[in-house]
Amino acid sequence: MIALLRRDLTLAVRAGGGFGLGLAFFLIVVILVPFGVGPERELLTQIAPGILWVAALLAALLSLDRIFALDWEDGALALLATSPLPLEGVALIKAVAHWLTTGLPLAFAAPALGFFLNLTPEGYVPLFWSVLIGTPALSMIGTFGAALTVGLRRGGLLLSLLVLPLYVPTLIFGAEVARRGAEGLAYSTPLILLAGITAGSLALLPIASAAALRVNLR
Amino acid sequence: MTLTVTNLSVARGPVTVLQGLSFSVEPGQALILRGPNGVGKTTLLRTLAGLQPAHGGTMSIPDAAAYASHADGVKSALTVSENLAFWAEVHGTRLSNDVLETFDIADLSERITGTLSAGQKRRVGLARLGVMDAKVLFLDEPTVSLDAFSVKMFATFLRDQHLAKGGIAVIATHIDLGLDAPELDLTPFVAKPGTGDSPDEAFL
Amino acid sequence: MSFWEFANPKKFMDWTTPVVPWMAGLSAVFLAVGLIWGFFFTPDDFRQGSTVKIIYLHVPAAFIAINAWIMMLVASLIWLVRRHHVSALAAKAAAPVGVTMTVIGLATGAIWGQPMWGTYWAWDPRLTSFLILFLFYLGYMALWAAIEDPDTAADLTSVLCIVGSVFALLSRYAVLFWNQGLHQGASLSLDAEENISDVFWQPLVISMAGFVLLFIALVLLGTRTEIRLRRAKALSARAARA
């Protein structure tokens, strides 16, 4: 399993692709928001946590269809399925690799971009923690969506349609942590709930993803 | 240690393609599957490899099996040795130089696979089979886009390294590999419409 | 004879043939009685005036919208465990009915909300949950439509339905956490001390029964259509190979 993680990370670094693109997309969305809503500092302060969370979510969504697509096209997925590795493990590792290349960089980029949206000083730390703890759930849910749509030729748009409703709880708790933090309120309750969703997703969704992959490989 | 298939029927989607299939392959033996395109060779091999469920009948696969088709999962962005070392690790073995020699890719081992010719890439894909050291091989058209020299190299690998060590191979191919192996023509086992208990039978 | 034999496609076609018109007819009668009674023969509410009468559409539609999804979940589980084709096809047939009921629930709610709350739409937990349910229905139907092989589609949509149910429930609680709302409590429940008064209650129950019968009739009809489609496909596949 470590070999698979190492290979996927090597491929992500060598092929470029999603790695930098997700971050660039995040940056652009955040920069575009003030053009849309106007430059008033109070307004930006108020919406900053939510905008940063929605933008991070969209950036994570961007590279989901790559999770299994390449291994599907060149047959590696079928070979992995017939190898001693359990498919559940393959799905989990794929999600971890996706998180390391998108979620983790987003956790560091989000506070940095909070600067542009006039985020209050108290908001930076909770924002970082909420993105760091919430994005693994986004990657795992996205991996499940990718497993469902891997056999489809134009799966990308469908993937978004399937995955976005599943993102709702994560987004609500994640943005709530960031918002409460930015307003100087206690944020441990939503943070614990967010961590719960992440833990539950990582524990259960590999099973559902593997089931979907088996059906698609049939 | 014998691979045995009894009264197997396999389906492609909702359609039964082969039925009443029985054969066995002893250790050290290969079986060549013959039959026109679309007869169900790929479906049979995928079923044997466990990628899809059998529709009926039983099969007993004696040991860890490896499956290979012309889509061999070789990553263009990795070097030849990285590609092979990955599959070795997945299957709990190590990449040895012997394998690279056998498939004549030792000189290429540090090259990025994307820079190789199509034939060289295919040899890397086949070398994967040597790396994994599986007792049972299910091979679906393994010689696609190989030149005559490479085909011979591959046949030598199968005979001298795989079968000689008591391995089993079931191979679908259109060309003569020069192996001393029995052939099985699948044409007589093609499911006749209406007689096969097809997955959609409940609707008829 | 086992209970599951009713799920054999041929048997299913046989026993549903006489059932569908009865269900449709009964549902028409119940709906007519419930709605006419509700609209014309109940007094206006002392606070809400005559706007309260939209309840006879709103509550049953919302009830079906949720229970259609639960029915799809059960049918998906049956398909995954016992591989009864009819079960998967019934889940497929229920989705368009469920999504329509969700839209009716949302639309009547908006029409009711305007005079009561002064707004067509509020990000109230119940309204938001229904909007999310609507998105789940869309995704589910889109996945059915996108996959060609019927059994693959049945498997994948079943897995999606199960995972979606868990996340829909999570969303429900997340939304409650996110915003406390305007919406009144449940209109009907068995354990509540105070339900809405009897004059409204009786036509509402009749109307609900009408909606349930309508749902059953539509799902049976939809399932029959899906079975015929599968049969036509199977026959043409057989003919093509003969």
Side-chain angles (χ1 to χ4, degrees):
Chain A
M1 300 234 283
I2 299 299
L4 180 60
L5 181 62
R6 205 166 49 225
R7 185 198 71 154
D8 274 10
L9 292 179
T10 314
L11 284 174
V13 171
R14 288 216 187 132
F19 202 24
L21 269 178
L23 277 181
F25 178 82
F26 186 45
L27 175 73
I28 290 171
V29 171
V30 170
I31 289 174
L32 284 181
V33 166
F35 296 130
V37 302
E40 290 86 8
R41 294 170 58 83
E42 294 76 33
L43 178 64
L44 288 179
T45 303
Q46 205 188 342
I47 63 173
I51 295 295
L52 287 165
W53 246 94
V54 171
L57 183 146
L58 292 177
L61 188 73
L62 208 59
S63 48
L64 287 182
D65 59 339
R66 308 280 285 176
I67 291 181
F68 291 116
L70 296 176
D71 280 341
W72 171 265
E73 280 160 19
D74 66 14
L77 201 58
L79 300 179
L80 282 170
T82 54
S83 78
L85 286 188
L87 262 184
E88 287 79 5
V90 171
L92 181 64
I93 290 297
K94 287 284 180 182
V96 171
H98 180 262
W99 180 72
L100 287 173
T101 50
T102 46
L104 187 63
L106 285 175
F108 288 96
L113 293 183
F115 177 74
F116 285 110
L117 295 179
N118 201 29
L119 189 68
T120 55
E122 307 82 52
Y124 287 91
V125 173
L127 179 68
F128 170 75
W129 284 116
S130 71
V131 177
L132 188 75
I133 292 175
T135 42
L138 299 185
S139 291
M140 192 64 242
I141 296 167
T143 303
F144 169 64
L148 279 179
T149 54
V150 67
L152 300 169
R153 246 161 289 137
R154 285 186 303 272
L157 206 58
L158 179 65
L159 175 60
S160 314
L161 185 62
L162 297 181
V163 161
L164 283 174
L166 300 177
Y167 275 179
V168 168
T170 317
L171 174 63
I172 287 179
F173 290 127
E176 190 72 9
V177 172
R179 188 187 64 79
R180 290 193 182 183
E183 290 173 8
L185 304 168
Y187 53 83
S188 56
T189 313
L191 193 62
I192 289 168
L193 291 168
L194 183 67
I197 289 180
T198 297
S201 299
L202 291 177
L204 297 176
L205 281 179
I207 301 168
S209 311
L213 285 177
R214 278 195 197 96
V215 171
N216 270 319
L217 280 166
R218 210 164 59 191
Chain B
M1 277 305 289
T2 311
L3 183 148
T4 325
V5 163
T6 321
N7 199 22
L8 187 75
S9 57
V10 297
R12 189 193 302 125
V15 179
T16 312
V17 286
L18 295 169
Q19 65 183 30
L21 196 60
S22 300
F23 60 82
S24 62
V25 190
E26 297 292 330
Q29 214 185 27
L31 179 72
I32 312 279
L33 303 175
R34 299 279 186 193
N37 285 331
V39 78
K41 296 190 292 286
T42 296
T43 311
L44 174 60
L45 285 168
R46 288 175 58 88
T47 308
L48 289 172
L51 280 170
Q52 56 183 76
H55 184 246
T58 54
M59 48 189 191
S60 92
I61 316 288
D63 205 329
Y67 167 79
S69 70
H70 58 86
D72 48 23
V74 170
K75 297 290 174 193
S76 311
L78 300 180
T79 66
V80 170
S81 60
E82 280 172 334
N83 263 313
L84 294 175
F86 166 67
W87 289 109
E89 207 169 328
V90 165
H91 285 264
T93 60
R94 303 192 138 274
L95 172 61
S96 71
N97 261 329
D98 301 353
V99 175
L100 297 176
E101 297 290 343
T102 308
F103 288 91
D104 195 23
I105 48 175
D107 303 341
L108 309 172
S109 71
E110 293 312 314
R111 289 265 296 276
I112 296 286
T113 316
T115 65
L116 303 182
S117 74
Q120 287 170 327
K121 243 190 210 170
R122 288 289 297 127
R123 292 219 297 274
V124 176
L126 291 172
R128 193 182 68 87
L129 297 170
V131 165
M132 294 187 312
D133 199 27
K135 279 279 168 289
V136 184
L137 295 181
F138 298 119
L139 306 176
D140 188 6
E141 299 290 353
T143 52
V144 168
S145 83
L146 284 185
D147 55 20
F149 169 71
S150 304
V151 170
K152 229 179 126 203
M153 187 186 298
F154 178 59
T156 313
F157 158 76
L158 275 181
R159 188 174 53 236
D160 296 348
Q161 305 211 10
H162 183 65
L163 300 176
K165 279 193 235 158
I168 292 174
V170 182
I171 310 165
T173 179
H174 283 292
I175 62 158
D176 184 17
L177 281 173
L179 295 174
D180 178 24
E183 296 188 358
L184 177 69
D185 188 0
L186 292 178
T187 320
F189 301 102
V190 170
K192 286 156 204 74
T195 57
D197 173 32
S198 93
D200 259 359
E201 198 73 8
F203 290 97
L204 294 170
Chain C
M1 183 172 136
S2 122
F3 166 74
W4 295 109
E5 279 187 38
F6 290 109
N8 171 288
K10 271 179 264 177
K11 287 253 173 60
F12 181 85
M13 292 304 271
D14 288 344
W15 75 259
T16 50
T17 308
V19 170
V20 172
W22 274 102
M23 286 290 166
L26 275 174
S27 118
V29 171
F30 273 81
L31 280 178
V33 171
L35 292 180
I36 292 172
W37 183 355
F39 282 137
F40 299 109
F41 300 103
T42 56
D44 289 353
D45 185 78
F46 72 98
R47 269 183 301 144
Q48 306 197 10
S50 61
T51 54
V52 75
K53 293 182 174 180
I54 206 164
I55 198 173
Y56 304 111
L57 286 175
H58 179 71
V59 171
F63 174 80
I64 299 292
I66 293 171
N67 284 286
W69 184 275
I70 295 173
M71 179 237 137
M72 282 156 57
L73 173 64
V74 173
S76 298
L77 285 168
I78 293 176
W79 159 250
L80 287 181
V81 176
R82 297 200 55 120
R83 313 300 287 179
H84 287 300
H85 286 96
V86 171
S87 183
L89 296 178
K92 183 183 184 183
V97 186
V99 79
T100 311
M101 291 299 175
T102 312
V103 171
I104 293 176
L106 284 169
T108 52
I111 295 167
W112 196 1
Q114 167 58 17
M116 287 303 105
W117 305 332
T119 172
Y120 284 108
W121 181 259
W123 288 94
D124 163 271
R126 282 202 184 201
L127 275 66
T128 312
S129 302
F130 263 80
L131 200 59
I132 296 168
L133 183 65
F134 175 68
L135 297 179
F136 275 104
Y137 273 121
L138 284 191
Y140 178 86
M141 293 187 339
L143 190 61
W144 261 112
I147 303 168
E148 234 165 88
D149 181 74
D151 282 359
T152 306
D155 281 335
L156 293 179
T157 51
S158 297
V159 174
L160 176 68
C161 186
I162 293 164
V163 172
S165 303
V166 175
F167 276 87
L169 216 60
L170 273 177
S171 304
R172 176 90 186 96
Y173 289 104
V175 164
L176 278 178
F177 183 87
W178 166 76
N179 191 2
Q180 324 294 339
L182 301 164
H183 201 288
Q184 66 199 68
S187 305
L188 286 182
S189 73
L190 295 174
D191 54 338
E193 293 267 315
E194 268 183 81
N195 271 325
I196 55 170
S197 69
D198 278 355
V199 269
F200 300 116
W201 192 78
Q202 285 156 350
L204 181 56
V205 169
I206 293 172
S207 176
M208 293 263 262
F211 266 82
V212 171
L213 289 167
L214 179 66
F215 173 72
I216 294 172
L218 288 175
V219 169
L220 288 180
L221 208 60
T223 313
R224 286 168 63 86
T225 311
E226 295 292 340
I227 290 175
R228 288 206 173 99
L229 270 173
R230 276 296 286 276
R231 185 174 147 78
K233 257 191 207 164
L235 284 173
S236 66
R238 179 197 269 187
R241 291 181 329 126

